[in-house]
Amino acid sequence: MGKKLKIYLLIIYLISLLFLLILFPEFIHESRYSHVIFLFIVTFLMNNFSIFFNYITRIKTSMTIPVLISAFYFINPLWVGIVTALGTITFKEEIKYFVWYKFLFNRSSIFLASVSGALVFNLSRSVLDGNTFPILSALMASIVYFIINNFLVYIVINLADNDVNQMSLISYFRELSKNLITSYFIGLILLASYINFGKSLFVLVIILLFIIKDFFYSRLQQMNSYTQIIESFLKVIDSKDHYTEGHCERVANYTYHLCNEMNLSRAKSEKIISIAKIHDIGKIYVDDDILRSSDKLSEQEYKEIKRHTEYGYQLLKDIDLINDELDIILYHHERWDGRGYPEGLKGEKIPVGARILTACDSLDVMITGRTYKPPMTKEEIIAEFKKCSGGQFDPEIARKMIQLIKDGYFDDKFKSEEKIRELELSLEY
């Protein structure tokens, strides 16, 4: 442990002791011991046994701020600090792997933060809320607790890890603050339950919240599994066809922007983007010689490579997590004028996701080129989309793609005119 860290920890210990001595008279003046005991038990259980409420994902959920808001309201600042500091002790993490200075720092930082929050609550309540429900004073107190506790932890992390890249203070708080507002509103619900209906409803609301959280976490786990499957298939595609390595990722990026431009729902957009990442998965069944050929394909070879859409669809259709919207893979080479494959669908009979993917897939070919065809300039690509609107592409999608290109969304992908001319000359030789 470095000298600076030792000095910092000593300062935190001494400030906590000073707070304790100044507020000690409140220790004997607290008359609401039933609230103290109840809130301590709830805080302790929430920090040690919330795992039982999230048994599917094994994700532990902290409920410190929601319970703390009720503590601000019912008990004095000293007891708020004691209840929070002791109630947040975790046996699995702090007692089992006990390190005295870490343990003492954690208790001190939480004690200082919760006492400060309670003092702010008491001082601001009459000014901000009067005799009404403490919406604003609870918000102020929660923010003070959040800032002090996390700022003290931020400093100790930076002093302890001198050899790692330090996260900026703004980035640190931005990451942590994502759950602050949610915790605050949960705290208001719990406080209202406690005030109006007592401890029983307070406990029931907490149980209900954890049941809801368990549902969302299980859904999150399912989404993570979905993402892992997609990423695994993406690696398989890239390993199969090195020339087009990165193609699916780029197409997915273009798809993201085009879906936004199309004002599709978030759920539908996410499905289309995910499918875009693996739209060429069927190529794993196509012979390597055909995929990597730089010569013009024979009629039989072209028929074989066209079957990659059907191969991909058949491969994925029985996987429940990703079988939704699989028509996008099957039909992403259909054309608006009906001259595409595999079924020659025309116009709006082609799923919108497939129409979007057709445009994005073609855009990447235009931008990157192929062994037999050099990349195109920005102006040439715009002209190509105009030319193929109503033919290869849905006119509305072509118009929106042209607008995205003009607005500069893909400027970092376009090769310079000079570079393209060099590539054209190399192809001639």
Side-chain angles (χ1 to χ4, degrees):
M1 186 191 304
K3 184 178 179 180
K4 289 182 180 180
L5 181 57
K6 289 180 180 179
I7 294 172
Y8 173 71
L9 292 177
L10 181 60
I11 291 172
I12 297 301
Y13 302 154
L14 291 175
I15 294 175
S16 300
L17 181 60
L18 181 62
F19 265 63
L20 185 63
L21 292 174
I22 291 172
L23 296 171
F24 187 76
E26 294 186 2
F27 187 88
I28 56 176
H29 289 121
E30 179 60 67
S31 60
R32 301 179 175 183
Y33 288 109
S34 64
H35 296 303
V36 171
I37 295 170
F38 174 73
L39 291 169
F40 168 75
I41 292 172
V42 170
T43 303
F44 181 79
L45 291 175
M46 290 302 97
N47 281 272
N48 283 276
F49 301 110
S50 62
I51 192 79
F52 295 137
F53 294 95
N54 292 288
Y55 61 89
I56 293 177
T57 60
R58 311 298 290 177
I59 296 176
K60 180 174 175 289
T61 304
S62 174
M63 290 283 284
T64 302
I65 288 180
V67 177
L68 187 58
I69 289 175
S70 292
F72 290 152
Y73 185 88
F74 284 105
I75 57 181
N76 68 49
L78 177 62
W79 278 105
V80 169
I82 294 172
V83 164
T84 311
L86 298 181
T88 53
I89 294 173
T90 53
F91 274 100
K92 186 176 180 180
E93 297 171 7
E94 294 187 274
I95 302 302
K96 186 177 180 180
Y97 304 101
F98 182 79
V99 179
W100 72 268
Y101 57 86
K102 289 183 179 180
F103 178 84
L104 197 55
F105 170 77
N106 288 335
R107 298 312 104 219
S108 298
S109 61
I110 291 173
F111 176 79
L112 288 173
S114 54
V115 166
S116 300
L119 290 171
V120 168
F121 180 85
N122 289 347
L123 291 171
S124 63
R125 187 179 173 192
S126 59
V127 177
L128 298 176
D129 297 302
N131 295 321
T132 60
F133 188 74
I135 295 176
L136 296 178
S137 52
L139 177 60
M140 290 292 294
S142 299
I143 291 173
V144 168
Y145 169 82
F146 173 82
I147 291 175
I148 292 177
N149 184 39
N150 288 297
F151 182 68
L152 295 177
V153 173
Y154 173 81
I155 293 175
V156 81
I157 290 173
N158 279 264
L159 290 175
D161 297 330
N162 292 320
D163 296 330
V164 297
N165 293 327
Q166 307 295 337
M167 179 185 288
S168 72
L169 184 62
I170 294 174
S171 299
Y172 177 77
F173 274 99
R174 184 173 60 240
E175 288 301 312
L176 290 174
S177 63
K178 292 176 180 178
N179 294 323
L180 176 60
I181 297 300
T182 302
S183 297
Y184 164 69
F185 281 111
I186 291 173
L188 292 184
I189 294 170
L190 289 174
L191 178 58
S193 303
Y194 201 162
I195 292 172
N196 296 302
F197 302 101
K199 298 179 180 66
S200 299
L201 186 62
F202 184 90
V203 172
L204 287 175
V205 170
I206 287 176
I207 292 172
L208 177 61
L209 287 170
F210 273 107
I211 291 173
I212 294 171
K213 279 179 174 289
D214 191 48
F215 170 78
F216 281 111
Y217 277 127
S218 63
R219 178 62 177 164
L220 178 62
Q221 187 183 49
Q222 185 183 52
M223 290 173 63
N224 287 338
S225 299
Y226 180 89
T227 302
Q228 289 167 6
I229 291 172
I230 295 294
E231 294 299 329
S232 297
F233 277 128
L234 187 57
K235 290 177 182 177
V236 171
I237 298 169
D238 286 345
S239 66
K240 176 73 173 178
D241 188 1
H242 293 293
Y243 184 78
T244 58
E245 187 172 357
H247 166 70
C248 289
E249 279 281 16
R250 292 192 300 272
V251 170
N253 179 53
Y254 307 145
T255 302
Y256 166 81
H257 292 293
L258 188 52
C259 284
N260 285 343
E261 192 72 12
M262 295 286 292
N263 293 319
L264 300 178
S265 69
R266 180 176 177 179
K268 190 169 185 67
S269 294
E270 287 177 351
K271 288 176 182 176
I272 295 172
I273 295 164
S274 294
I275 293 298
K277 288 184 177 181
I278 55 171
H279 69 277
D280 278 340
I281 186 63
K283 286 185 178 179
I284 65 173
Y285 291 111
V286 178
D287 188 271
D288 287 354
D289 292 336
I290 297 177
L291 287 176
R292 296 170 184 172
S293 174
S294 57
D295 300 324
K296 185 176 180 180
L297 297 177
S298 67
E299 184 177 346
Q300 187 58 40
E301 288 173 331
Y302 184 54
K303 284 182 179 179
E304 177 61 19
I305 204 166
K306 286 200 300 183
R307 295 195 64 189
H308 77 275
T309 59
E310 298 173 71
Y311 292 147
Y313 178 82
Q314 293 297 326
L315 174 65
L316 302 177
K317 69 176 184 178
D318 294 325
I319 303 177
D320 290 339
L321 273 179
I322 58 176
N323 63 9
D324 197 13
E325 301 285 351
L326 275 190
D327 283 355
I328 296 172
I329 287 181
L330 183 60
Y331 298 128
H332 76 273
H333 280 290
E334 297 287 4
R335 293 170 50 107
W336 183 258
D337 59 12
R339 295 166 55 199
Y341 63 87
E343 296 180 13
L345 299 183
K346 186 175 182 179
E348 293 186 357
K349 290 183 179 179
I350 307 168
V352 65
R355 283 179 266 149
I356 289 171
L357 188 52
T358 298
C360 295
D361 192 24
S362 298
L363 175 65
D364 191 60
V365 173
M366 295 180 204
I367 289 175
T368 60
R370 289 292 182 265
T371 54
Y372 51 86
K373 185 178 182 182
M376 300 167 68
T377 64
K378 181 176 180 177
E379 292 71 23
E380 288 172 339
I381 291 173
I382 291 173
E384 185 71 11
F385 271 101
K386 288 180 178 178
K387 174 185 173 184
C388 296
S389 176
Q392 183 178 358
F393 307 123
D394 176 339
E396 179 66 12
I397 289 175
R399 185 183 66 79
K400 290 184 181 296
M401 180 63 87
I402 290 169
Q403 192 59 51
L404 285 171
I405 295 170
K406 287 182 177 179
D407 289 343
Y409 279 89
F410 314 124
D411 280 357
D412 61 319
K413 302 293 189 298
F414 293 116
K415 294 179 173 61
S416 66
E417 185 81 29
E418 181 180 348
K419 183 68 175 175
I420 290 173
R421 295 305 165 226
E422 289 176 2
L423 288 167
E424 286 177 340
L425 288 172
S426 67
L427 285 171
E428 289 176 7
Y429 290 104

